[in-house]
Amino acid sequence: MKILKFGGTSVGSADNMRRVADIIKNIEGKAIVVLSAMSGTTNSLVNICKLLSEGEQKLALEQVSLLEKKYTHTVNELLNLKNNISEAKQILKEEFTLLKELCNTFTSHNNNTNNIVIRGEFITCRIFQLFIQESNISSNLIHALDFIRTDKDGHPDYFYIKEKTNAIVNAHPADNLFITQGYACINAYGEISNLGRGGSDFTATILGSVLNAEIVEIWTDIDGLHNNDPRFVNDTYPICELSYEEAEELAYFGAKILHPTCIKPVKSENVPVVLKNTFNPEAKGTLIHNSSEKEGIKALAAKDNIIAINIKSGGMMMAYGFLRKIFAVFEDFKCSVDMITTSEIAVSVTIEDHPQLENILKELRRLGDIRVFKNQSIICLVGAFSHDSKGTIARISQSMNETSLRMISYGASENNICLLIDSENKVDALNQINKQLFSTNNNCA
Ligand code: ASP
Ligand code: MG
């Protein structure tokens, strides 16, 4: 079994859907294809919910009509056979009647938001299935809400998902190709929910894990994970191979192409993931697997909206339990800490900007003098840095000659070195590091 996930741009227009069909028709053996909503749809749906919660029902319904137009246009471009076009129009009618109904019955107390934001995946899958049927590719559309469930903590309920997914696949032994909606799930109480923005990647890797798939292919619009952020730096190149840990760090620290937690399910089951480009299927992409590859820096990512907090206290001197008190504050506010450095009398930590920041600071002030630095960015360098690989820090600090560093974190894992800088220096720093630490030779060659 293979899992293939296609992101929003991959299914973002009739032409792009044709490319996806070309990729799918060459699959050998069994596969589940996970689709995102056509690009822009989920953003619109989130915006529609926002308008509804502000009482702007008319504006919300106008947005729904725009979406309906976009899908109607796609259907007209995509399908050729008269019967299929009228079937697609019937599907759109049903889907948009439901969406309008959800808008009309929206109250601040009901769960319509969760119902609304996942509709894009459902519409896209139905239209796409009809289209590939026209191209003589037969498939079975299976409903994510029948088998993707989260537990009381919002984590995937693997036991349930495994049982349900296997039951569904085994009930159709003659079918080779299944299609399903990414992102959507039910929660522990059976209510409609979702796996968070970008969650279709997560759907794919959860399925890969419970079905012990041969591979999970994540198809997007770029040739794999790049060594640096292509939005800010020229001359970046796709990385050939990454270990699960390296990919996890990059996804968490801002590499936009992967959902931050989607590596976890495949890592424990040792299922490889490959990141591929729908618009350049020949490109090798990035393979994420259980590799222990060569030493050195492979890639970096940057995360913005970081706040650094420095806590200084005489009471910390030769004392124990002080760090526990500090972390208890963050735990109480369910706030996760990314970086930490300590000296004998002071601790610095970083957090993402947090709605309860003022209350967190109030509690921390009880423990010592605090200083707060806003508008910070973490640059996370990822690679294989064993303790005896020499000169790594020297090379990094040399490349940062022109940038003030607020914090460095080295040694927590052998895969990650984090630097904290003022966000206004980020683009410069990314470019400097690129120039000094990466060769422009693509390491896949
Ligand atoms: N459509 C959802 C989003 O835009 C899920 C996804 O694309 O992965 O966040
Ligand atoms: Mg995505």
Side-chain angles (χ1 to χ4, degrees):
M1 175 69 83
K2 285 183 183 174
I3 314 293
L4 288 84
K5 175 256 167 175
F6 292 90
T9 21
S10 298
V11 290
S13 69
D15 276 348
N16 297 358
M17 286 191 195
R18 284 192 190 95
R19 291 174 198 271
V20 175
D22 282 342
I23 294 164
I24 288 178
K25 71 171 187 248
N26 295 322
I27 303 174
E28 284 164 18
K30 283 190 184 286
I32 299 184
V33 168
V34 176
L35 298 185
S36 291
M38 286 182 80
S39 52
T41 310
T42 314
N43 284 347
S44 293
L45 293 171
V46 168
N47 190 32
I48 286 165
C49 292
K50 185 170 169 276
L51 288 169
L52 290 168
S53 67
E54 292 163 355
E56 299 283 1
Q57 209 186 34
K58 193 164 162 270
L59 289 179
L61 287 168
E62 275 169 29
Q63 293 287 316
V64 173
S65 298
L66 286 180
L67 267 185
E68 190 169 5
K69 272 200 189 112
K70 169 176 161 158
Y71 277 87
T72 309
H73 175 77
T74 308
V75 157
N76 287 333
E77 291 221 307
L78 192 62
L79 299 165
N80 290 317
L81 300 180
K82 231 177 165 177
N83 278 350
N84 287 342
I85 296 177
S86 56
E87 191 175 338
K89 297 230 160 121
Q90 185 55 33
I91 289 173
L92 293 187
K93 197 168 157 203
E94 268 170 48
E95 287 291 341
F96 282 94
T97 306
L98 170 64
L99 193 51
K100 284 171 202 161
E101 214 171 278
L102 289 169
C103 291
N104 287 327
T105 57
F106 188 99
T107 69
S108 50
H109 302 297
N110 64 24
N111 228 350
N112 283 5
T113 296
N114 285 342
N115 249 317
I116 291 171
V117 294
I118 60 161
R119 290 322 303 167
E121 270 68 14
F122 284 77
I123 309 174
T124 304
C125 278
R126 291 182 76 180
I127 298 302
F128 184 78
Q129 191 199 25
L130 199 58
F131 162 60
I132 59 170
Q133 184 186 314
E134 194 173 280
S135 317
N136 292 323
I137 304 172
S138 65
S139 65
N140 187 343
L141 180 56
I142 55 178
H143 283 254
L145 301 182
D146 292 339
F147 54 91
I148 302 285
R149 185 171 86 172
T150 52
D151 63 18
K152 289 203 170 80
D153 298 317
H155 301 310
D157 183 345
Y158 289 104
F159 186 77
Y160 175 94
I161 299 170
K162 185 171 185 156
E163 205 176 82
K164 291 280 180 186
T165 312
N166 274 301
I168 291 171
V169 171
N170 293 338
H172 305 278
D175 293 345
N176 273 333
L177 180 63
F178 296 88
I179 295 179
T180 195
Q181 308 84 6
Y183 180 55
C185 67
I186 53 168
N187 64 19
Y189 313 99
E191 297 155 346
I192 292 178
S193 184
N194 64 73
L195 298 171
R197 293 306 306 271
S200 299
D201 296 345
F202 205 17
T203 306
T205 55
I206 293 167
L207 290 176
S209 148
V210 300
L211 294 168
N212 206 355
E214 161 194 339
I215 194 157
V216 176
E217 299 179 0
I218 296 191
W219 291 81
T220 61
D221 50 8
I222 182 164
D223 296 349
L225 250 165
H226 278 224
N227 68 313
N228 200 331
D229 195 325
R231 290 171 302 176
F232 306 116
V233 178
N234 296 326
D235 301 328
T236 63
Y237 54 81
I239 311 153
C240 217
E241 267 184 274
L242 287 170
S243 69
Y244 292 117
E245 286 77 14
E246 290 164 345
E248 249 175 341
E249 302 271 13
L250 285 175
Y252 180 75
F253 283 107
K256 285 280 173 287
I257 95 167
L258 266 188
H259 181 276
T261 56
C262 80
I263 295 298
K264 203 172 166 210
V266 276
K267 179 168 129 184
S268 55
E269 300 301 316
N270 221 341
V271 174
V273 175
V274 65
L275 308 180
K276 296 279 288 175
N277 186 353
T278 305
F279 305 92
N280 185 13
E282 306 306 321
K284 231 170 134 185
T286 301
L287 177 67
I288 300 165
H289 63 158
N290 203 352
S291 76
S292 54
E293 237 209 317
K294 56 177 190 276
E295 288 276 311
I297 299 168
K298 286 186 197 149
L300 60 87
K303 190 171 169 186
D304 299 329
N305 290 322
I306 301 294
I307 293 175
I309 306 169
N310 175 263
I311 306 133
K312 195 168 167 187
S313 166
M316 196 180 157
M317 189 86 170
M318 299 175 79
Y320 45 81
F322 189 74
L323 286 180
R324 190 186 55 75
K325 287 182 194 150
I326 291 177
F327 282 103
V329 172
F330 293 106
E331 188 180 348
D332 288 346
F333 288 97
K334 291 192 163 70
C335 171
S336 93
V337 170
D338 284 332
M339 281 174 81
I340 154 166
T341 56
T342 71
S343 81
E344 190 49 40
I345 55 155
V347 184
S348 287
V349 297
T350 70
I351 58 173
E352 273 183 65
D353 202 356
H354 194 276
Q356 296 263 42
L357 180 66
E358 285 313 315
N359 291 329
I360 293 174
L361 297 178
K362 198 167 139 199
E363 289 304 311
L364 290 174
R365 275 194 196 99
R366 295 178 202 273
L367 302 173
D369 295 332
I370 63 168
R371 287 186 302 157
V372 179
F373 305 95
K374 296 189 175 175
N375 300 319
Q376 303 291 299
S377 294
I378 295 177
I379 296 186
C380 167
L381 295 145
V382 156
F385 316 113
S386 73
H387 74 282
D388 54 12
S389 69
K390 300 191 179 57
T392 310
I393 287 292
R395 288 199 299 134
I396 292 171
S397 39
Q398 215 155 31
S399 73
M400 301 286 284
N401 243 349
E402 304 295 316
T403 315
S404 322
L405 274 177
R406 195 172 294 285
M407 282 166 73
I408 299 183
S409 160
Y410 170 73
S413 94
E414 295 197 337
N415 297 116
N416 160 314
I417 298 171
C418 281
L419 314 170
L420 187 74
I421 59 170
D422 289 349
S423 297
E424 60 181 26
N425 298 328
K426 181 185 83 172
V427 174
D428 252 10
L430 294 181
N431 278 285
Q432 282 306 322
I433 296 175
N434 213 58
K435 211 155 81 193
Q436 311 231 6
L437 297 183
F438 296 107
S439 85
T440 42
N441 289 334
N442 182 334
N443 66 352
C444 290

